[in-house]
Amino acid sequence: MVGRAARIGHVGRRVLRSGICLGVLICAAFAAPVALSFAATAARAEGLPEALAKAYQTNPQLNAERARQRATDENVPQALAGYRPQIIASLSAGLQAVRNLLPDNTFQSATLKPWTIGVTVTQTLFNGFKTANSVRVAELQVRSGREALRNVGQGVLLDAVTAYTNVLANQSLVEAQRANVAFLRETLGITQKRLNAGDVTPTDTAQAEARLNRGLADLNAAEVSLAISQATYTQVIGNPPAQLRPAETVDRYLPRSRDDATGLAFKEHPAVMAAGFDVDVASTSIHVAESSLMPTITLQGSASHSSDSDPTLSTFRTDQASVVGTLTQPIYDGGTAASQTRQAKEVAAQSRQVLEQVRNQARTAAVGAWVANEGAKIAVAASESEVRAAGVALAGVQKEAAGGQRTTVDVLNSQQDLISARARLIGALRDRVIASYTLLSAIGRLDVKTLALNTPDYLPEVHYHQVRDAWHGLRTPSGQ
């Protein structure tokens, strides 16, 4: 009996040492207070700010939206063209065969080479304020598009944060699962030795083997999730993840209360501001439609020079110049202009309802983001407490197992409780970071300037001023 007790105590101490090693391995993955990654070399590690800067520069979705906004900028010079003269040059030349029957029944034949060159200049003096309102519509579309671009930028940055933290979380989970598998392998080996010594039954060995297989399955699932998150990271950031530094929250930029969050979202969220400009666009479009019912005054000047070698004519060359003013007043167009005006009014009513809807959505999103962020703080604290308690419980069960007061399955259950608690902590730490960025996005402040990212801010107004007053030129400011 004394020898058997000694063997049990020896085996128990080995199990205890295995559990301590597991705790050290898992704790190493969570050395930083808000870290989601294990240790990495500082010189080669990439931090979240660097990843966000890369996504801001290279993300295809964001760059496509920037190109869309540059195209929207061109609506302004197109509308301004209504103030400018229209100049048309014309040139005609040909070969003409003529055969004339004269009164004396003789024929006269000739081959003519007539040609005419001319230029016409047309200037609209008044068109029912259509041009002025069209310019106003175009400028409002530009401002709405800028807010839409800002909203897409927020979405891309939030996607980048999610991709970054998912990689970190899955890396930590893989490490924890590997440590768990190592512990279970050690436990199975010890249990088999105890079975050979007659200290335990085959049931204990089967339980240890079953837990090991479960651990291998969990490790495989964690590795699959890591591979998927790495592919998503490459898609969003633009390069595969290497060694990543711990991700931090952005609590310092967040509002202090729920009311402050909803107020900022109601006023500053880019979706709300874009919808507000869309209301102005729709309201101004009513005046554009009404202009079709108003008179139009144009001034047209033309000059031409023509030559004709017909010998039957008394002149061989003609020079003409004219200046003509025209006033036109629509009387009835079949009801098209009236229908377009009514349609524009209904679109304006719709846009006002959309604005109200977007405001409500922004308010709801801000409340949800605020609650989620506060809940994530509680979840992290609870998970940390759970991990500490589970670690203490595992150490106690191992000591009791070393004294013969606990069975193998008790150790396995306690170990499973610890690894489950670790997995929940990993998820809570990840959700904590994402929730803080989500709240920053919900109030409309997730941008390069607020985060102080080390990358130039894209300024859409630069392109706007480059093309606004352009009278000609086929190349874009970028040289395309």
Side-chain angles (χ1 to χ4, degrees):
M1 291 295 294
V2 174
R4 181 178 179 182
R7 287 195 302 273
I8 293 175
H10 175 68
V11 171
R13 284 190 294 272
R14 292 186 61 185
V15 174
L16 178 60
R17 286 197 300 271
S18 299
I20 294 173
C21 291
L22 173 66
V24 171
L25 287 172
I26 296 179
C27 289
F30 297 93
V34 195
L36 294 178
S37 72
F38 45 88
T41 313
R44 296 179 54 194
E46 181 178 52
L48 180 55
E50 290 81 6
L52 293 179
K54 286 183 180 179
Y56 186 78
Q57 294 169 351
T58 63
N59 186 269
Q61 179 186 1
L62 185 54
N63 285 330
E65 188 67 14
R66 290 166 178 165
R68 180 206 60 76
Q69 178 59 25
R70 291 194 294 271
T72 302
D73 291 342
E74 295 291 350
N75 290 338
V76 177
Q78 291 173 21
L80 287 170
Y83 286 125
R84 299 166 187 159
Q86 306 294 315
I87 304 175
I88 299 176
S90 61
L91 172 65
S92 64
L95 186 65
Q96 183 179 7
V98 178
R99 186 170 182 267
N100 297 323
L101 176 62
L102 300 179
D104 58 355
N105 290 325
T106 60
F107 292 92
Q108 184 183 50
S109 300
T111 300
L112 310 180
K113 299 178 181 180
W115 59 272
T116 301
I117 185 171
V119 61
T120 301
V121 180
T122 303
Q123 176 65 60
T124 300
L125 302 179
F126 180 75
N127 58 0
F129 306 105
K130 182 177 182 178
T131 299
N133 288 316
S134 296
V135 171
R136 176 64 175 162
V137 167
E139 290 175 339
L140 290 169
Q141 288 173 338
V142 167
R143 299 184 69 179
S144 175
R146 289 177 185 174
E147 296 302 324
L149 173 60
R150 193 159 67 93
N151 197 32
V152 171
Q154 285 201 147
V156 168
L157 291 178
L158 187 57
D159 289 343
V161 171
T162 302
Y164 187 97
T165 52
N166 280 340
V167 170
L168 288 173
N170 289 325
Q171 285 177 342
S172 297
L173 187 58
V174 166
E175 290 301 308
Q177 293 294 350
R178 285 175 180 170
N180 181 52
V181 168
F183 174 86
L184 295 174
R185 287 187 189 279
E186 180 71 15
T187 302
L188 177 59
I190 293 172
T191 305
Q192 288 175 339
K193 291 180 181 180
R194 293 182 64 188
L195 176 63
N196 295 334
D199 296 335
V200 297
T201 66
T203 302
D204 295 270
T205 305
Q207 290 171 334
E209 185 177 358
R211 292 299 177 88
L212 174 59
N213 289 324
R214 181 197 294 183
L216 291 171
D218 292 340
L219 174 58
N220 177 70
E223 290 173 339
V224 169
S225 297
L226 175 59
I228 294 173
S229 63
Q230 288 172 335
T232 304
Y233 181 100
T234 304
Q235 174 187 342
V236 177
I237 306 300
N239 59 269
Q243 292 176 323
L244 305 181
R245 293 201 299 269
E248 298 181 355
T249 63
V250 286
D251 291 344
R252 59 189 179 279
Y253 304 127
L254 300 180
R256 296 183 179 181
S257 67
R258 180 191 298 188
D259 291 339
D260 290 342
T262 55
L264 289 171
F266 192 84
K267 294 185 297 183
E268 297 186 11
H269 196 279
V272 174
M273 299 185 70
F277 287 124
D278 289 341
V279 171
D280 296 335
V281 168
S283 299
T284 309
S285 296
I286 297 175
H287 302 302
V288 176
E290 291 174 341
S291 64
S292 299
L293 301 172
M294 302 180 71
T296 301
I297 302 174
T298 60
L299 183 66
Q300 186 178 81
S302 63
S304 65
H305 171 82
S306 62
S307 176
D308 197 331
S309 59
D310 190 345
T312 63
L313 300 178
S314 59
T315 59
F316 288 88
R317 179 176 299 172
T318 302
D319 294 317
Q320 293 183 345
S322 65
V323 176
V324 179
T326 304
L327 169 64
T328 60
Q329 171 62 56
I331 302 300
Y332 182 68
D333 63 351
T336 300
S339 176
Q340 291 173 343
T341 302
R342 295 193 304 270
Q343 183 183 48
K345 291 178 179 180
E346 295 296 346
V347 172
Q350 176 197 14
S351 64
R352 284 189 287 269
Q353 293 301 318
V354 170
L355 173 59
E356 191 64 27
Q357 178 185 3
V358 172
R359 284 173 173 170
N360 291 333
Q361 290 173 345
R363 185 188 297 110
T364 302
V367 171
W370 173 269
V371 173
N373 188 54
E374 294 300 309
K377 296 177 184 178
I378 298 174
V380 168
S383 297
E384 289 174 343
S385 299
E386 181 186 7
V387 168
R388 285 193 298 269
V392 173
L394 176 60
V397 170
Q398 288 173 325
K399 289 180 181 180
E400 293 172 0
Q405 298 176 350
R406 292 280 188 168
T407 64
T408 301
V409 71
D410 292 328
V411 176
L412 294 172
N413 288 339
S414 184
Q415 164 61 18
Q416 185 62 41
D417 291 340
L418 177 58
I419 195 64
S420 298
R422 293 290 183 187
R424 283 189 287 272
L425 177 58
I426 291 172
L429 291 170
R430 175 198 60 201
D431 295 343
R432 173 76 177 88
V433 175
I434 294 177
S436 67
Y437 278 90
T438 301
L439 178 55
L440 190 63
S441 174
I443 63 175
R445 294 186 177 180
L446 181 55
D447 51 43
V448 170
K449 184 177 180 180
T450 300
L451 299 177
L453 299 181
N454 186 23
T455 180
D457 193 3
Y458 181 82
L459 302 175
E461 56 268 21
V462 173
H463 178 269
Y464 170 79
H465 290 296
Q466 288 174 333
V467 301
R468 185 184 190 279
D469 296 314
W471 283 53
H472 60 85
L474 300 180
R475 289 188 176 275
T476 65
S478 62
Q480 297 181 357

